[in-house]
Amino acid sequence: MLKHGILGLLNYGDATGYDIMLAFRKSLSHFWVAQTSQIYRELQVLEDNGWIKKTLVEQDGRPDKNVLSITDDGKSELIRWLREDEVTKTVRSPMLMKTFFRGECSIDENIEFFKRIAECINVFPDGEGEAFDAKDQYEKMIDNPERALFWKFTIDFGIMYEKMLLEWSNKCIQQLEGMKDEQQKDRT
Amino acid sequence: MLKHGILGLLNYGDATGYDIMLAFRKSLSHFWVAQTSQIYRELQVLEDNGWIKKTLVEQDGRPDKNVLSITDDGKSELIRWLREDEVTKTVRSPMLMKTFFRGECSIDENIEFFKRIAECINVFPDGEGEAFDAKDQYEKMIDNPERALFWKFTIDFGIMYEKMLLEWSNKCIQQLEGMKDEQQKDRT
DNA sequence: TGGGTCATGTAACCTGTTACATGATTAG
DNA sequence: CTAATCATGTAACAGGTTACATGACCCA
């Protein structure tokens, strides 16, 4: 998956491993967090597969760099991946795993738990958050309205997801508060 | 993470590796899909850590089984994990990764793409889907209202998430349809 | 007689995380 | 002078996937 993300970025234009790392951090971090070490490892695999090629560029005043570019085989692979319709069934939510078992903790601790979840929602504060630091990335896309559109779709998803998460955690908190009130009534 | 899920299930009561596999398939599959092979491997690690212990139970008419039970150390570890407040930053969505790069495909192909996403939304059809086959699991919880509540919270999340996903894909389709209309006008 | 359930795993591989290592230039 | 940016990686480990293997019993 990360392989294809890198391929997609190199399809936008040549870049170094460092550029790719920055692109992930600035433009893709709201749906994929990639470690630098993994990027360089996958880059090696992509080269071994003949999907990209490296060109050493010497610089002065700066470290030399490996400029990467996508090959024709790489482009075919990118398109193949985009067209395949796998039913991506990778469901894995650590947050819900923890939620599932929280019956072992007290009501107050659980209210705290959901409050902490709600507090973490700040990637897109009123539609202008972290992921929007990608202004330079956006500039690059402005001449390609299709790319900008799909980038925006992923941002829309992020905003809608966070809104939903906030609603959900508030709903959970409300139910827990309700239980707490009942317990206090029982005691009187 | 899977380790703690298994620990949580064994905290409900003794079980075999097979029981745990079924519990994941029936009750936890809407937020975590676990392979049988991985469950048995983690079980080994849990035993090595002293968090669970195995008892061989011979049966006739059926294969012998290893009945697993949580130890005191295991319970402490479960509680420690529930209380720790890690800011779970594991964001990784193959669906959004693909969305991001779909500018390389035609509008019609992309409309199809989002329609396929919308079609996959059937885990909780009108609040009574796949994840609700867990009736036996629910019975086990009915005497423990706390457990039932948190199980329900995860189901609520699933329903809200799917609703959001449907809205999102429809919104994307609408925008793509709009672009298509404009292009047709341009041609006349 | 064939498929489903009960029951337990191994081996190889792929993917992701954590920690470490290096070193020059440039802006405050 | 010091922190950030540019630039590239390695090593070890942890976690997840795919494929395979075995075998009895029960129900249709």
Side-chain angles (χ1 to χ4, degrees):
Chain A
M1 197 91 285
L2 179 62
K3 279 177 191 53
H4 293 97
I6 295 173
L7 228 40
L9 287 173
L10 288 175
N11 190 48
Y12 286 0
D14 294 357
T16 63
Y18 190 73
D19 294 331
I20 288 164
M21 184 266 288
L22 287 182
F24 268 92
R25 213 156 70 186
K26 289 183 184 169
S27 308
L28 289 81
S29 64
H30 57 296
F31 62 85
W32 202 284
V33 172
Q35 254 60 48
T36 311
S37 58
Q38 204 193 344
I39 290 170
Y40 282 103
R41 191 178 48 185
E42 294 297 352
L43 244 20
Q44 196 50 60
V45 177
L46 290 176
E47 204 193 2
D48 294 346
N49 289 354
W51 294 342
I52 62 169
K53 56 175 204 290
K54 256 183 213 172
T55 315
L56 185 78
V57 174
E58 284 174 52
Q59 300 183 113
D60 39 60
R62 254 148 223 242
D64 296 352
K65 59 185 179 179
N66 287 313
V67 174
L68 307 159
S69 38
I70 194 164
T71 62
D72 288 340
D73 277 5
K75 266 178 207 183
S76 311
E77 175 55 25
L78 178 65
I79 299 296
R80 189 204 60 71
W81 169 71
L82 286 170
R83 296 230 167 104
E84 94 191 334
D85 61 309
E86 25 106 60
V87 195
T88 309
K89 274 283 167 204
T90 337
V91 190
R92 209 159 52 230
S93 166
M95 185 190 68
L96 292 180
M97 178 78 96
K98 226 171 212 184
T99 302
F100 192 89
F101 293 108
R102 289 205 59 101
E104 311 307 310
C105 295
S106 72
I107 295 184
D108 283 330
E109 274 180 301
N110 285 321
I111 290 172
E112 266 316 300
F113 173 76
F114 289 111
K115 278 189 179 163
R116 257 183 283 131
I117 289 176
E119 271 163 26
C120 286
I121 299 169
N122 60 352
V123 182
F124 307 100
D126 44 76
E128 280 291 333
E130 247 182 61
F132 284 77
D133 280 357
K135 296 232 171 67
D136 51 329
Q137 198 67 24
Y138 187 71
E139 296 302 311
K140 265 189 200 166
M141 286 173 182
I142 210 80
D143 59 322
N144 189 323
E146 249 98 54
R147 284 177 193 171
L149 182 66
F150 286 89
W151 175 70
K152 209 194 145 282
F153 283 167
T154 66
I155 303 279
D156 287 344
F157 181 95
I159 293 168
M160 289 172 80
Y161 179 78
E162 293 203 337
K163 219 182 109 192
M164 186 225 90
L165 194 59
L166 194 63
E167 271 172 50
W168 176 72
S169 50
N170 283 333
K171 214 174 123 182
C172 295
I173 290 170
Q174 267 172 39
Q175 280 186 60
L176 290 167
E177 299 274 16
M179 276 181 66
K180 215 174 135 184
D181 289 348
E182 265 176 58
Q183 283 186 1
Q184 279 171 341
K185 262 184 218 157
D186 288 350
R187 259 184 234 119
T188 55
Chain B
M1 197 89 288
L2 178 63
K3 279 177 191 51
H4 293 96
I6 295 173
L7 227 40
L9 287 174
L10 288 176
N11 190 48
Y12 287 180
D14 293 357
T16 64
Y18 190 73
D19 293 331
I20 289 165
M21 183 266 287
L22 288 182
F24 269 93
R25 213 157 69 187
K26 289 183 182 169
S27 309
L28 289 82
S29 63
H30 57 295
F31 62 85
W32 203 283
V33 172
Q35 254 61 48
T36 311
S37 58
Q38 206 193 343
I39 290 170
Y40 282 102
R41 190 176 51 183
E42 295 297 353
L43 244 20
Q44 196 51 60
V45 177
L46 291 177
E47 205 194 0
D48 294 348
N49 289 353
W51 295 343
I52 61 168
K53 57 176 202 289
K54 255 181 213 173
T55 316
L56 185 76
V57 174
E58 285 175 52
Q59 300 184 112
D60 39 59
R62 256 149 221 243
D64 296 351
K65 59 184 178 179
N66 287 313
V67 174
L68 306 159
S69 38
I70 194 165
T71 63
D72 288 340
D73 278 5
K75 266 178 208 181
S76 311
E77 175 55 26
L78 178 65
I79 299 297
R80 190 205 58 73
W81 169 71
L82 285 170
R83 295 230 168 103
E84 93 190 337
D85 60 307
E86 25 105 59
V87 195
T88 310
K89 275 281 167 207
T90 337
V91 190
R92 210 158 51 231
S93 166
M95 184 189 70
L96 292 179
M97 178 78 96
K98 224 169 213 187
T99 301
F100 192 90
F101 293 108
R102 290 207 57 103
E104 311 308 309
C105 294
S106 73
I107 295 184
D108 282 330
E109 274 179 300
N110 285 322
I111 290 172
E112 266 315 301
F113 173 77
F114 289 111
K115 279 190 179 164
R116 257 182 282 132
I117 288 176
E119 272 162 26
C120 286
I121 300 170
N122 59 353
V123 183
F124 307 98
D126 44 76
E128 280 291 331
E130 245 181 61
F132 284 74
D133 280 356
K135 296 230 172 69
D136 50 330
Q137 198 66 24
Y138 187 70
E139 297 300 312
K140 267 189 200 167
M141 287 173 181
I142 210 79
D143 60 323
N144 188 322
E146 250 97 52
R147 284 178 193 167
L149 183 66
F150 286 90
W151 176 69
K152 209 193 145 281
F153 284 168
T154 66
I155 303 279
D156 287 345
F157 181 96
I159 293 168
M160 288 172 79
Y161 178 77
E162 292 203 337
K163 219 182 111 192
M164 186 227 91
L165 194 59
L166 194 65
E167 271 172 50
W168 176 71
S169 50
N170 284 331
K171 213 174 124 183
C172 294
I173 290 170
Q174 266 172 40
Q175 280 186 61
L176 290 166
E177 299 275 16
M179 276 181 65
K180 216 176 133 182
D181 289 349
E182 265 177 57
Q183 282 187 3
Q184 277 171 343
K185 260 183 220 156
D186 287 352
R187 255 183 237 120
T188 53

